[in-house]
Amino acid sequence: MSFKIIKFGGSSIEDAEKIQRVAGIIEDTIKNSELAIVVSAFSGVTDTIKTLAEYAAAGKNIDVAFDSLVAKHTECAEKLSIKNEINIRRILDEYFTQLKSDLLFVAKESHLSSQSLDKVLSYGELLSTKILAEYLCQIGIPAEQLDARKVILTDNYFGHAFVHYQQSYSRIRSYFKDRSYMQVITGFLGSTKTGATTTLGRSGSDYTAAIFGAALNAKIIEIWTDVSGILSADPKIINEAEVIPSLTYEEAMELAHAGAKVIFPPTMIPALYKNIPIVIKNTFEPDHPGTTIAKDRTKTDKNVAGISSLSHVALVRLQGAGMVGMKGLIGRTFSSLANENINIILVSQAFSEHSICFGIKPEWITKAVKTLETEFSFELKNHYIDEITVEKNLSMVAVVGEEMRHTSGVSGRVFSTLGNNNINVIAIAQGSSERNISFIVDDEDVDQTLKSLHTEFFTIKDEWIEIFLVGVGTIGGELLNIINQESPPGISIRAVCSSRKMLIGSDALNPATAKDKLKKSNMSFGLNDFLSLGNKKNSKQKILVDCTASETIAKEYVNIINRGFSVVTANKIANTLDQNYYHSIRHTAKKNNVKFRYETNVGAGLPIINTLRGLITTGDKILSIEGVLSGTLSYLFSAFDGQNPFSFILNEARTKGFTEPDPREDLSGMDVARKMLILARETGAKLELDDISVESLIPTELDPTLSVDRFLDRMVDFDQFFIEKLENANAKQKVLRYIGKWDGQKVKVCLEAVSNDNPFYNQNGRENFIVFRSKRYNDVPLIIKGHGAGAAVTAAGVLRDIQLCLEDR
Ligand code: ADP
Ligand code: ASP
Ligand code: MG
């Protein structure tokens, strides 16, 4: 039988339920392999103990946090109902007594040395391995804890100890010689030759697994965690990150070094040395094949294997004209830092030699600057070196892949993508291996950096949609916000315009800044120029998204579509121009094999038009459509209960932004008439806007040329008219609703008094409410209701239409 090491991280063992799941995986695996298990501390425990120690050193009270740490472990042991309860309780209690006394020692010293920290941290792994080993025995798998400090020998660099491989290997081999029980090994821990506890670095349990794997010539080292492998980017930042099926040791090391937390970078060293494959598996999806890390991997068509990022990096820079040609400068810089055990993450030197900079974690800043000031005191005093500067709050990003070595232009693509997204690159370092391009950006830019690079290298280009957005007002602006927040895959903004200006990117525009940049743009808007861009890259689908209410643009749809664009529109005008034009848009779209979508023309984001279409295409016959379709009029008539005059409610609604800037547009009923016309036309009716009977609520006595304010003042004269309507309705237990109706013949929109047997009686607030009666939905009609106005739902509806264009392809 082959021999395997399997390691479970904290994410896999934080409570009784997860331990049972882990035990299940172990039970399955021992059917085919011999095993040793490596385990981390329960999730979060290493951090908790670290905080406890820091509190103790600072003289703060630790009782509450300590008690909850105890409870977490004892409750877990109880829940697993380990038979050997007395024994396990005794051992756990012993660990807690020792931990308490170590913490008291730290408190007494008022200082936390890295040696003391390593000592206290070790209890995390001691506790978890003990509990797992006892539980395995309980379910019939003879197992025992192995405290790795007995076998892993390290130097005394506490917190990041260096492992003496050969001595550790031989100790491990002799320890395993006479063991018949399955070993449950503490990850993360080692000890010096004098027996002091050391740790191998945060996340170091992965490394422990590789050390045991190499010592025992395992066939495979499995790292079980909470994701299905190494992903193309951090899944917490990139939703659509994908599992990378296979990587070389070097690629995995580069990705891990630059922040892919899923595996600790040194893990690859012993495995590479002994050529043992490492497989990353998901405890919560055990059948997923995961990622295999080995010496070679099959080539793929992707130039980039993955992208990683590491935040909170500081950049130290030495600069000065006097540095040019100065011999030994680099050597002295790095040896002095190495002597102080300062870990350098990245190095970048400009060709001019007049500056050199390197990245470190912020905890090293003070020590690094001090070290360099001492080392270069002469050069500083004599101004060969002008200054040593430190920039903080930066992130390192690495783009990694073996294929980059044989493909030219990858770094060009990386940096032009960043340029197009207005991301400022602060320093660049390309590894000599050419399988890694690393650079530094502001912490603030790191999410956008990963998103844009991930889209550039991982989204299949033929499936991309380029958006040409017309109108960046309330709806267009909100659409940019949603695209920025959600980064919907495959969608990029190519150009934006307002009625006066336009902004065109050489590639994708950054949705976060497009609106502001448009304001500053000095290109005046011309539809022809705006669209001619779209001809450059024919492989992608181009969509003109109309978020205006402009008739001029609406009248251009046929021309726009003829140029190969799909059109997604929130603008109702085109669909309510004459029948010939209405027909021509559809005919042209079909001829050009592009889409014309307008779900938000009625009821904002509510799925009204697609539902209606679905009924018709499946052979249903629409008998009637009735709806309360104006958010503004709904609001006015639900707020108008007789307490306040109608003119007052109208004024108030305008102030709250619930009406159009000129409320007459709402009161005229034309908005509802247009919506009803669109719905009626959807059923096949040949109607014009003029055919609709519309009851306008604007008193005919009022001069249409009045200013808005004058108009609102004059509305007071008509309060009596509205209150009479309301009182008449109320006298018959009815309420007023502004309703649109299509009965299969004609469309009518009017103010009606409805009683409580009418579906609209209970309609309230700014809700849209629509009732379809059809052959299939006759006695019980199909009703759609919900918030039918507002930028957020409308913009989401527009985005959905865009996505449907992508799905339709
Ligand atoms: P464990 O407790 O099992 O050791 P870790 O938290 O150390 O688990 O590592 C797994 C986590 O690493 C994932 O949940 C994920 O959030 C994070 N991660 C960051 N970058 C990547 C990446 N490129 N691929 C996979 N996971 C990543
Ligand atoms: N428990 C340790 C940590 O949290 C080691 C590990 O999880 O791998 O860093
Ligand atoms: Mg880990």
Side-chain angles (χ1 to χ4, degrees), residues 7-11 39-47 121 124-125 187-189 201-208 264:
K7 175 258 169 177
F8 294 94
S11 60
V39 185
S40 302
F42 284 10
S43 175
V45 164
T46 308
D47 285 329
L121 291 184
E125 270 68 13
F188 186 46
L189 309 180
R202 292 302 306 268
S203 299
S205 299
D206 302 332
Y207 190 24
T208 308
F264 185 55

